Amino acid sequence: MPIAAWQGVADDLRRALNGVAPLGGALRRGALHWRLAVIGLRLALGQNRAAIEAELLRGAADGLESPSALDAALEAQLAGGAAAYPVLETLPSAARLNAAAEIKRALDADPDYKPALRAAAALAMAEAEWRAALLYYRRITELPGMPETQVDALQAMGMLHWRRLGEPAQARALFERARALAPEDLVLVDKLLKLDLELERWDSAVAACRHLVASLDAGAGDPNPELCVTYLLTLGEIHLYGLKEPVAALGYYLDAVDRMPAYPLTYSLLQDLLEHHADAALEGQRAALEAGDDHAPRRQLVALLRKAVSAHAGAPTAVRAFRDAVGFAAGT
C-alpha cells in the first residue's frame, strides 16, 4: 500500500478513536491504539525501505524473497511469530518509541488485549529489554484463551530465557509447560531435545529423539527421511559420548545406514566410533543379535562391517570398504 494510503488510514483511525473515547469502550480503544501503532511502524518501513533493505541484506548474495518480505516480517514480529528479517530493530528509534507509546495507550485502555501485549513484547525485544518482554508474555499466559496461544507465549518465554538470558534450566521448565498443552508438537519436542543436549540430560534427550523418530515414522508432518536419520545419528552420539555405550551407538548408526545408505555424515560418525571402540561395539552387536535382538537389516550390516574391519587396517579404510559394500548391496 502506498505511504499516502497508510497515512490516510491512520488519520481515519484517529478520528474513529476520538469518536469512541467518550463511549468508554475499552476493547475498541485498545484495538484502535494497537492498530495505530502498527500503521505507524508500517509507515516508517515505507519511508525507510531502501535503507532498511540495504542494511538487512548487507553482504548477502541474494535479494529479498519477495517484494512484500519486509512487510510480512514486520507483521510476524509484532504477532510474536518467526520472522525472516529483524525489521523492527532496523526501523528508526523514533518510530519504535512512537509505537511503544501507542501500545501503552492500548494496554491502559485494555490491559488484556493480546495483540497489544505481543506487540509490546516485540518492541521490548527490539530494544534488547528481555525482562520486559518476559513480563508481557507472562501476562498472556495468565489470561484465558486457546491452548495454542498459551503454548506460543510459553515458547517465546523459553527462548528468551535460553538464548537471551543464558538460563537454560528456566527455559526447559517453560517448554515442559508448553508440551503439557501440546504433547505432539514436534517443533517443541525438538527444542526440548536441544536443551537436554545442552544440559546433558541424556535420558530425556534419548526419550525425545525416540519420540521424534517414532512420530516421523508414523507420518507426522511432511515426509522427511533425512530428518529421521539426523535423530538416529543424534541417538548414536548421545550413547557414544554421553552415556558411554558404543554398542548401542553402533546400532543407531547402522539403523541410519539402513534408512539412507548414501548419507555422508553417518560414515563420518561411524569412523569416529570404530577408531576407539571397533572390537567392543561389533562384538556387542553380534551378541545382541544372537540373543534374539531381531533386526534383519542390521544383521546384514553388522556382517558387512565386521568383514570390512577384518579385511582393512584402520578405521578410514574399513569405513570406505563398508560404504562400498553397502552401496553394492543396495544397488546404488
Side-chain angles (χ1 to χ4, degrees):
M1 185 184 294
I3 293 175
W6 280 118
Q7 188 62 63
V9 173
D11 293 340
D12 290 342
L13 282 173
R14 290 190 184 94
R15 284 191 289 271
L17 187 57
N18 291 333
V20 302
L23 302 178
L27 177 60
R28 284 173 290 179
R29 293 202 313 277
L32 286 169
H33 282 297
W34 165 75
R35 178 49 64 183
L36 276 171
V38 173
I39 289 175
L41 293 168
R42 293 292 295 266
L43 276 168
L45 172 57
Q47 292 162 349
N48 299 274
R49 185 177 297 272
I52 290 170
E53 182 174 340
E55 180 174 348
L56 290 173
L57 298 180
R58 185 181 301 148
D62 300 322
L64 293 174
E65 299 169 357
S66 69
S68 61
L70 297 185
D71 305 89
L74 176 60
E75 293 289 345
Q77 283 188 281
L78 293 172
Y85 304 98
V87 175
L88 265 179
E89 290 82 346
T90 59
L91 291 176
S93 58
R96 294 199 301 269
L97 286 172
N98 290 336
E102 207 66 65
I103 290 294
K104 183 180 184 302
R105 296 184 190 102
L107 293 174
D108 286 343
D110 184 1
D112 298 343
Y113 190 54
K114 291 175 186 174
L117 288 167
R118 293 189 192 96
L123 286 163
M125 288 193 288
E127 303 294 342
E129 296 174 353
W130 316 124
R131 298 288 180 187
L134 280 172
L135 292 176
Y136 292 120
Y137 280 121
R138 182 173 297 120
R139 179 59 184 151
I140 293 174
T141 67
E142 295 167 349
L143 295 172
M146 298 292 290
E148 293 83 358
T149 301
Q150 299 239 338
V151 168
D152 290 343
L154 288 166
Q155 289 197 70
M157 292 172 67
M159 293 303 293
L160 282 167
H161 277 290
W162 185 14
R163 297 302 192 191
R164 300 302 186 183
L165 298 172
E167 298 169 347
Q170 291 89 326
R172 192 181 190 285
L174 289 161
F175 288 160
E176 284 286 11
R177 285 176 58 192
R179 193 179 179 192
L181 296 170
E184 298 306 317
D185 185 333
L186 299 188
V187 173
L188 179 54
V189 177
D190 182 76
K191 288 178 181 176
L192 274 165
L193 166 62
K194 290 180 172 62
L195 259 176
D196 284 333
L197 293 173
E198 185 174 313
L199 294 169
E200 298 186 356
R201 295 173 56 106
W202 307 126
D203 290 343
S204 297
V206 167
C209 270
R210 287 176 175 167
H211 178 83
L212 288 162
V213 171
S215 298
L216 291 168
D217 279 344
D222 295 330
N224 194 334
E226 186 170 325
L227 185 58
C228 197
V229 165
T230 298
Y231 290 127
L232 286 171
L233 297 180
T234 301
L235 279 165
E237 290 180 283
I238 292 170
H239 282 83
L240 181 58
Y241 301 110
L243 297 173
K244 312 300 182 186
E245 297 175 358
V247 176
L250 178 57
Y252 288 115
Y253 290 163
L254 293 178
D255 289 347
V257 170
D258 178 50
R259 287 172 182 258
M260 291 187 69
Y263 196 60
L265 179 58
T266 306
Y267 297 97
S268 297
L269 295 174
L270 182 59
Q271 179 177 315
D272 291 342
L273 184 151
L274 293 178
E275 284 176 346
H276 303 285
H277 307 282
D279 292 341
L282 282 166
E283 178 58 27
Q285 279 295 322
R286 184 196 63 77
L289 291 167
E290 287 185 356
D293 190 357
D294 189 19
H295 292 278
R298 190 189 298 177
R299 187 182 299 277
Q300 181 185 16
L301 291 172
V302 168
L304 290 174
L305 184 56
R306 285 172 62 86
K307 183 177 180 180
V309 169
S310 298
H312 298 85
T317 307
V319 168
R320 283 196 296 272
F322 172 66
R323 184 173 184 171
D324 290 344
V326 168
F328 179 78
T332 60

